[in-house]
Amino acid sequence: MADKTANKILVTRSSMPPLEEYVNEIRELWDSHWLTNMGVKHREFQAALENYLHVEHVELLTNGHMALELTLQAMNLQGEVITTPFTFASTTHAIVRNGLEPVFCDIEPDTYTMDAEKLERLITDRTCAIMPVHVYGNICNIEEIERIARKYGLKVIYDAAHTFGETYKGKGIGSFGDASCFSFHATKVFNSVEGGAVCYRNPALGAALYELKNFGIHGPEEVSAVGANAKMNEFCAAMGLCNLRHIDEEISKREAVANRYRERLEGVQGIRIGAVQADVKPNYAYFPVVFEPKKFGASRNEVFQKLAENGIGTRKYFYPLTNTFSAFSGRFDVRETPVALHISKCVLTLPMYADLEKEDVDRICDITLSCKKQQ
Ligand SMILES: *Cc1c(COP(=O)(O)O)cnc(C)c1O
């Protein structure tokens, strides 16, 4: 009997440049012996990103988490930050690790991003900022969130970890709000092995981030803040420079994968696939599918299990919700975010990466559809 798991498909596969290209990129480091602390690759990568992302300023960091955490610290905030629980642990952790209180807003059922209609009623006199997430590359309701933020004088920091290279109404997605934080982790659309960046407009924020990522060192004899160590090293910056040369091709290959999934799965009773958003240039970061168990006849967990048995990796992304983490030992009430709770139980992200073959997409779809019960 053929081994059904012989042809394994992981949920993602990191993009890498040709080896020679990377070797050429790091060659000069063997002359300079300058390996980290804002060297030549760091400066080149920063400039290349400002150009590619269509933003005024970029500050590079070790990862997306430190981008979120240090941005909040740099803003010197106190009190409550309104965010959503349908995200990676990082978003909520960045808030809590700054001694701030997360307040959870529910999400929209179609984009899985912050439901701006439920935002205003969560604002109190202790609210200092809003941290929405552009989930799976879906853009938040930017206009409404920023209108409310202006009305109450709140900072807006986007978790833009999923939106590398996207534009909204022709503007770089990182140019909205007070800051947008990107992740260049190996599993993301664009990677520098590990890495992250903050896009911002206010130069004072950039100056604060620059010091905070280097222990808060202000000058040779002055340490003016309790910073961390979150400097991107030269090898990661070099990887980023190489991958950036191939990113447009990577994204168009992802588009073909997404289109094939849509052809096969769209319109199937009990399967929900988010609509393509107007005015957005997407990056096809993930392919989330929501299984409505009553209509599909099988639950998300059953589909997950069936695909796993066939050697296909998928993720229950995002399950569990961050407001249910045992780390918070019952501090938050999940009943306040019912839409997020429902989606977290029904959603599955299917394998998605540039080199995923059409035949593999078809096999994933065949197995997925075989779970459907006739009614
Ligand atoms: C990946 C991710 C992060 C954290 O980025 P790292 O680079 O892994 O630290 C934060 N938020 C979201 C939504 C993410 O997906």
Side-chain angles (χ1 to χ4, degrees), residues 63-65 68 87-88 90-91 133 159 161-162 183 185 188 195 317:
N63 55 55
H65 178 77
L68 291 166
T87 183
F88 187 51
S90 176
T91 324
V133 186
D159 182 335
H162 295 180
S183 163
H185 183 257
K188 302 295 203 277
Y317 201 59

Side-chain angles (χ1 to χ4, degrees), residues 22 124 127 140 194 216 222 244 259 265 280 284 314 327 346 351 363:
Y22 185 68
T124 71
T127 309
C140 300
E194 292 253 12
E222 193 190 350
L244 198 56
N259 287 343
L265 301 177
V280 175
Y284 310 97
T314 59
C346 300
R363 189 159 71 89

